[in-house]
Amino acid sequence: MSKIRLEITRCKGCGYCVEECPRGALRFSGHISDKGYDTVMVDESLCVACGSCYRVCPDRVFEILE
Amino acid sequence: MKLKAPESVFSSASFCPGCGHGLAGRLIGEVAEELGIEHKLVTVVDVACCSFHIDYWKFDTIMAAHGRDIPTAVGVKHVRPDSAVMAYMGDGAAYAIGMAETIHAALRNDNICVFVINNSVFGMTGGQMAPTSLPGERTATSPKGKDPARYGTMSGLELVKQMDVAYVARGELIGSSGMVRAKTLIRKAFTHQLNGDGFSLVELLSPCPTNLNLPPVKAKAFVHDEMTKYFPLGEFVDKGGNV
């Protein structure tokens, strides 16, 4: 079961979550969104669902599922 | 632990990447839903970047004249004493154009919550130097840095905390721990209002990457490393004790 869900259309590529993630599970994808931002992607094998990304995201991209 | 963004906040689309308003708006939505006051909360927003929240919150929201959201919120509270009422503004509104309103609402100890987003510049108008700009800070109107010999640096919170008010605190919208702390301060401010204790002011230090001319992560570091030297974090007045 998935631990984390990303609503990637909201991402503005600020990078707060990439810096905050204690497991290094988040990184920039290189995919440029319709709004022109380099969005983030998650490596679920590293994610421990701690919620740090949810707390620091200004744009409500993350949902922690467990 | 399951974490899902509050339903009472449904967008942050117009804010710049890394803006603290999206963080503050989400925290207020979370606290309102946890306290069960989302249906009786009336928010008053100021004319500036914070006014975008009028389209993003499901709460009943009024946009007041610039710097006058505190008296507007006081008026709403007098007419609807059962409602939870908050004024949401930037440092320009609270400590520059609206300084008189902030001070006199604190003097009267009006039973409202005030949330001030302090980003050290006038954000929406283009990053001009503000009373809260730090000495030496480069802004649109101080390209060589703010001259401390000519311009002082102050926060209205320092005045408000000397008065007989219910709650005065300062937090930062930086990092996971800062966000957890900021949420606690917001919850305490609302709890004081619901208990009828009086005026609460919570100042939240926030990054403004666009007008600081920094990438979001460096703007965040500026707030955490530099701004907190001049604007120390903490709870300064807590009349009700442990809420």
Side-chain angles (χ1 to χ4, degrees), chain A residues 17-32:
Chain A
C17 55
V18 177
E19 195 190 60
E20 193 71 19
C21 180
R23 298 294 302 269
L26 287 158
R27 61 186 169 87
F28 287 107
S29 65
H31 170 72
I32 307 299

Side-chain angles (χ1 to χ4, degrees), chain B residues 38 89 109-110 141 146 154 178 180:
Chain B
E38 70 269 34
M89 60 222 296
N109 199 19
D110 289 318
T141 49
K146 185 175 185 176
M154 61 87 68
V180 171

Side-chain angles (χ1 to χ4, degrees), chain A residues 37-48:
Chain A
Y37 299 121
D38 186 357
T39 53
V40 295
M41 63 183 292
V42 62
D43 182 347
E44 283 217 31
S45 63
L46 294 173
C47 178
V48 291

Side-chain angles (χ1 to χ4, degrees), chain B:
Chain B
M1 183 169 60
K2 289 186 179 177
L3 291 168
K4 191 171 189 233
E7 291 183 3
S8 49
V9 182
F10 56 91
S11 181
S12 57
S14 294
F15 295 124
C16 304
C19 177
H21 279 301
L23 295 165
R26 195 194 77 222
L27 288 185
I28 288 167
E30 285 177 7
V31 171
E33 291 184 10
E34 286 170 17
L35 293 175
I37 57 171
E38 70 269 34
H39 297 299
K40 64 172 186 175
L41 175 62
V42 180
T43 61
V44 184
V45 296
D46 188 65
V47 178
C49 291
C50 46
S51 67
F52 286 127
H53 279 303
I54 202 167
D55 292 329
Y56 299 160
W57 278 328
K58 286 186 180 170
F59 315 127
D60 292 333
T61 306
I62 303 168
M63 189 194 292
H66 191 25
R68 271 81 210 186
D69 40 350
I70 290 179
T72 309
V74 171
V76 172
K77 188 68 181 178
H78 280 296
V79 176
R80 294 178 174 270
D82 294 334
S83 293
V85 182
M86 59 169 256
Y88 180 92
M89 60 222 296
D91 55 297
Y95 304 149
I97 189 172
M99 186 60 153
E101 283 77 3
T102 308
I103 295 298
H104 287 280
L107 269 173
R108 294 188 303 262
N109 199 19
D110 289 318
N111 190 23
I112 61 165
C113 297
V114 177
F115 299 111
V116 180
I117 309 300
N118 181 356
N119 57 12
S120 84
V121 289
F122 293 129
M124 181 170 269
T125 49
Q128 291 86 355
M129 186 174 70
T132 47
S133 298
L134 309 185
E137 183 177 340
R138 291 186 179 195
T139 67
T141 49
S142 59
K144 293 178 182 172
K146 185 175 185 176
D147 180 6
R150 185 168 179 200
Y151 304 107
T153 294
M154 61 87 68
S155 162
L157 184 145
E158 311 301 331
L159 298 172
V160 171
K161 75 181 184 186
Q162 298 169 26
M163 298 176 191
D164 186 24
V165 294
Y167 188 63
V168 178
R170 183 185 284 126
E172 60 174 1
L173 298 169
I174 303 296
S176 197
S177 58
M179 290 296 291
V180 171
R181 184 82 185 132
K183 186 173 172 182
T184 308
L185 305 181
I186 292 171
R187 185 188 289 116
K188 273 193 165 187
F190 275 119
T191 311
H192 274 294
Q193 183 185 158
L194 297 173
N195 292 344
D197 294 336
F199 189 84
S200 304
L201 187 144
V202 176
E203 181 182 312
L204 298 167
L205 303 182
S206 161
C208 181
T210 300
N211 287 309
L212 293 172
N213 292 310
L214 293 170
V217 172
K218 286 189 179 172
K220 192 177 94 163
F222 170 81
V223 173
H224 186 69
D225 299 336
E226 302 298 327
M227 281 183 76
T228 50
K229 289 180 190 166
Y230 293 91
F231 306 121
L233 308 178
E235 293 175 282
F236 305 103
V237 179
D238 191 355
K239 280 284 165 60
N242 293 321
V243 180

